[in-house]
Amino acid sequence: MMDWTDRHCRYFHRLLSRHALLYTEMVTTGALIHGDVARHLRFNAEEHPVALQLGGSEAADLAHCARLGETWGYDEINLNCGCPSERVQRGAFGACLMNEPKLVADGVKAMVDVVGIPVTVKHRIGIDKRESYEYVRDFVGIVSEGGCRQFIVHARNAWLQGLSPKENREVPPLRYELVHRLKHEFPQLQICINGGFTELDAVMQQLRLLDGVMIGREAYHNPWWMRDWDALVFNDPHPVPSRDEVESRMVDYMERELAEHQTPWHSIARHMLGLRNGLPGARRWRQVWSDHRLKSRAPREVMAIARESWPLEAREPA
Ligand SMILES: Cc1cc2nc3c(=O)[nH]c(=O)nc-3n(C[C@H](O)[C@H](O)[C@H](O)COP(=O)(O)O)c2cc1C
């Protein structure tokens, strides 16, 4: 998710689930071809498994960038065919690619030909007024001929005129049944669903029918939810760290990042502000970790201040 799931965010999320597949923000082929590759692709070894999401439409560019992604150690390359932003539309990629399944299939094929890791596609169920099942079915059918074996379907249309990207995640209705029909029609493909999941029960229900569930906003805003996933979704009942341990390990990471890359702690802390959501004192704790007047203090000192402000009754047992 743009501006959200950078490597710091992914490092944090990995402390909460060892198994969930994490995705980068969308990186455009233009940014990789003309920009600072290390800035866009560098990630922490602890983040695996991690997928690089690309935005682009030219087969040769996609192949070049997929190769780069594999060389940098990513576990999967994902092509964005779901983003409705105007900037992306001007570049003629993202959701508007749903109108050009043959072009997407060519791009997928070009990537599959040059990498050994899976190439997957994230898309919508339609764009604008194209709302029929047949539209998304044909898209998936044609793109699969390019060699894509896994589709992550954001189960709502993208309306390219008149809605902001934020509205495009809220206004067009969710239609999960179309995703289920896709799985029924293409049992040999891995079909994953995305859009609107906030409860584990609903996720488990989908996992009985489909191959995966992608979670966006809820994982970001309520990251503590992720700590249940390894045991309940991935069947790995290892001991999970407490919130205090997670916070301490994030401080270790902030110190490492500061020393190695001069990353200020607040660029990292912003992703963990939801860690104590729902607990008494969470607001005060969040305020300390987002207090820019503390910018020049060491992250360990900021943690001490945050913990001092933390009501005794909310503290976890040691
Ligand atoms: C701030 C933000 C940035 C996003 N950036 C991307 C992106 O770069 N690539 C992408 O495929 N989806 C992006 N999305 C969409 C999410 O991946 C997801 O499809 C959408 O939020 C619906 O899932 P959810 O209801 O679980 O959040 C973004 C969403 C948000 C809120």
Side-chain angles (χ1 to χ4, degrees), residues 101-312:
K102 186 72 187 68
L103 183 67
V104 177
D106 291 345
V108 165
K109 182 168 186 330
M111 292 191 278
V112 168
D113 283 348
V114 296
V115 296
I117 52 178
V119 174
T120 65
V121 170
K122 173 153 182 271
H123 60 97
R124 301 276 185 142
I125 52 175
I127 53 176
D128 297 325
K129 289 281 157 221
R130 293 181 195 91
E131 290 174 340
S132 71
Y133 168 68
E134 288 69 28
Y135 178 78
V136 66
R137 179 202 61 195
D138 291 349
F139 176 80
V140 168
I142 294 168
V143 173
S144 69
E145 284 165 16
C148 179
R149 290 278 152 268
Q150 187 181 98
F151 293 82
I152 300 115
V153 192
H154 182 179
R156 51 163 65 89
N157 270 40
W159 294 347
L160 299 183
Q161 307 294 320
L163 287 193
S164 69
K166 183 167 187 290
E167 289 166 329
N168 257 307
R169 295 190 285 267
E170 288 160 6
V171 178
L174 285 163
R175 296 165 72 206
Y176 294 159
E177 68 282 3
L178 266 60
V179 186
H180 301 156
R181 279 180 77 179
L182 283 173
K183 181 63 192 175
H184 193 70
E185 184 142 0
F186 300 102
Q188 75 284 10
L189 298 178
Q190 290 204 316
I191 304 289
C192 305
I193 194 166
N194 165 244
F197 292 98
T198 59
E199 303 283 344
L200 202 57
D201 281 353
V203 170
M204 299 309 274
Q205 212 176 323
Q206 296 297 328
L207 288 174
R208 285 195 278 277
L209 303 166
L210 299 167
D211 301 293
V213 179
M214 174 189 268
I215 315 281
R217 290 164 289 187
E218 191 65 14
Y220 191 85
H221 294 308
N222 280 317
W224 194 238
W225 186 32
M226 299 180 76
R227 86 187 268 274
D228 294 332
W229 295 359
D230 285 358
L232 300 175
V233 179
F234 297 100
N235 215 7
D236 176 2
H238 63 83
V240 284
S242 66
R243 288 179 171 93
D244 285 354
E245 278 162 8
V246 170
E247 184 186 24
S248 299
R249 285 171 69 180
M250 286 307 290
V251 167
D252 296 342
Y253 175 70
M254 290 172 197
E255 290 175 344
R256 182 176 106 189
E257 270 294 315
L258 184 65
E260 289 177 9
H261 302 293
Q262 294 77 51
T263 310
W265 62 257
H266 46 90
S267 310
I268 299 171
R270 71 188 183 99
H271 299 301
M272 62 178 206
L273 298 179
L275 181 63
R276 298 190 195 262
N277 274 0
L279 295 182
R283 191 154 155 266
R284 176 75 196 119
W285 180 83
R286 231 178 14 245
Q287 279 168 348
V288 173
W289 273 116
S290 42
D291 188 344
H292 281 226
R293 288 167 308 180
L294 300 174
K295 256 181 178 171
S296 56
R297 309 284 278 271
R300 201 159 293 278
E301 281 181 75
V302 181
M303 179 167 69
I305 298 168
R307 288 195 179 175
E308 263 167 40
S309 73
W310 189 238
L312 264 182

Side-chain angles (χ1 to χ4, degrees), residues 1-2 4 26 53 80 122 154 169 194-196 216-217:
M1 292 185 280
M2 300 296 291
W4 286 12
M26 178 179 71
Q53 185 181 67
N80 184 321
K122 173 153 182 271
H154 182 179
R169 295 190 285 267
N194 165 244
R217 290 164 289 187

Side-chain angles (χ1 to χ4, degrees), residues 21-32:
L21 174 63
L22 303 176
Y23 285 79
T24 66
E25 306 163 270
M26 178 179 71
V27 183
T28 65
T29 51
L32 288 180

